[in-house]
Amino acid sequence: MTGPVYRRVVIKLSGEYLAGSHGSGIDQPTLDRVAADLIAARQLGAEVAVVVGGGNMIRGVEVSAQGVSRPTGDTMGMLATMMNCLALEAAIERRGTPARTLSAFVMPEISELFTRSAAHKYLAEGRIVLLGGGTGNPFFTTDTTAVLRAAEIGAQAVLKATNVDGIYSADPKKDPTAKRFDRLTHSEAIGGGYKVMDATAFALARETSLPIIVFSIAEPGSIGAILSGTGRGTIVAG
């Protein structure tokens, strides 16, 4: 059996996806399925780190639009990502695979602080590492966090899990003529204004020469398929 295409990856999951059909909160069957997919990816031989958004709990931009300051709203959103990481950690460990949440914030009663050395240690031990708290700074998305953490820990790619099987020229759910791209450069992704990731994340990936693979997580086993080189997605690189 050949090994995974990428030996160390950061997988970016949206918080909204964990809500399932409920729209908010955490849907346990969805959480368990994602946990199983992450474990299967780890069993392929890849070292797996995960960045989860917090949109199923709270969105900082929306909170700040209601009168809370943007830094405060973003901090609330970063704390929401911690809740998702802890829930995912528990779901992974219930299935017998070790996991560890690392936080961008100092919160010793809840989670160890993220450092590169801690991430390297736990990945080498075979743990699935959950990276919570965003970058620890307001005004940065968890998309940017995923690319930043990938660059920091020497990951070979960022796997961006979405609800569509790649990047399209337009929303394929609204425009049946939308063209799907197999491959784009970072500059093309930024210039095209595609909404699948924010421009800051693409720009940082370009600067650090990190490929981003955009794929659909809707089908079970999709993470493993991307790692095996058989999955369908758009590669943003070069």
Side-chain angles (χ1 to χ4, degrees):
M1 177 182 172
T2 59
V5 176
Y6 304 103
R7 293 290 179 179
R8 176 178 287 184
V9 295
V10 171
I11 299 166
K12 169 63 201 332
L13 297 170
S14 76
E16 290 94 331
Y17 186 77
L18 297 182
S21 60
H22 301 300
S24 63
I26 295 174
D27 177 62
Q28 195 63 46
T30 300
L31 185 74
D32 287 337
R33 206 218 83 198
V34 169
D37 275 10
L38 292 170
I39 292 168
R42 177 67 195 91
Q43 290 170 341
L44 288 173
E47 295 180 346
V48 176
V50 185
V51 170
V52 192
N56 56 322
M57 303 286 188
I58 194 168
R59 297 188 69 87
V61 173
E62 293 175 3
V63 171
S64 61
Q66 297 169 14
V68 175
S69 73
R70 177 67 187 272
T72 299
D74 283 357
T75 299
M76 294 166 69
M78 288 185 277
L79 291 172
T81 72
M82 284 299 300
M83 291 190 278
N84 284 337
C85 282
L86 293 171
L88 195 50
E89 178 189 280
I92 292 167
E93 295 211 316
R94 273 198 305 273
R95 291 173 173 266
T97 295
R100 179 59 61 98
T101 296
L102 299 176
S103 170
F105 297 102
V106 177
M107 42 176 65
E109 293 84 5
I110 297 170
S111 167
E112 188 175 340
L113 182 69
F114 167 81
T115 61
R116 293 190 302 277
S117 59
H120 285 304
K121 175 178 181 287
Y122 294 127
L123 289 169
E125 289 175 355
R127 294 177 185 265
I128 294 173
V129 176
L130 295 311
L131 301 171
T135 66
N137 300 286
F139 302 104
F140 291 95
T141 66
T142 47
D143 282 347
T144 300
T145 301
V147 177
L148 173 64
R149 294 291 185 243
E152 287 181 295
I153 67 174
Q156 295 174 320
V158 174
L159 275 53
K160 163 76 173 180
T162 70
N163 58 0
V164 290
D165 60 350
I167 299 177
Y168 285 76
S169 57
D171 187 341
K173 295 180 179 178
K174 297 177 181 177
D175 184 353
T177 66
K179 176 190 173 187
R180 180 184 167 278
F181 302 105
D182 286 326
R183 193 175 187 96
L184 290 168
T185 66
H186 295 111
S187 296
E188 286 170 341
I190 295 168
Y194 306 116
K195 303 298 184 184
V196 70
M197 280 187 110
D198 64 85
T200 305
F202 280 131
L204 182 57
R206 179 176 61 186
E207 184 177 327
T208 53
S209 301
L210 262 169
I212 298 171
I213 297 91
V214 180
F215 70 104
S216 171
I217 197 172
E219 292 299 318
S222 56
I223 298 172
I226 292 294
L227 286 173
S228 299
T230 60
R232 180 177 168 88
T234 299
I235 298 174
V236 181

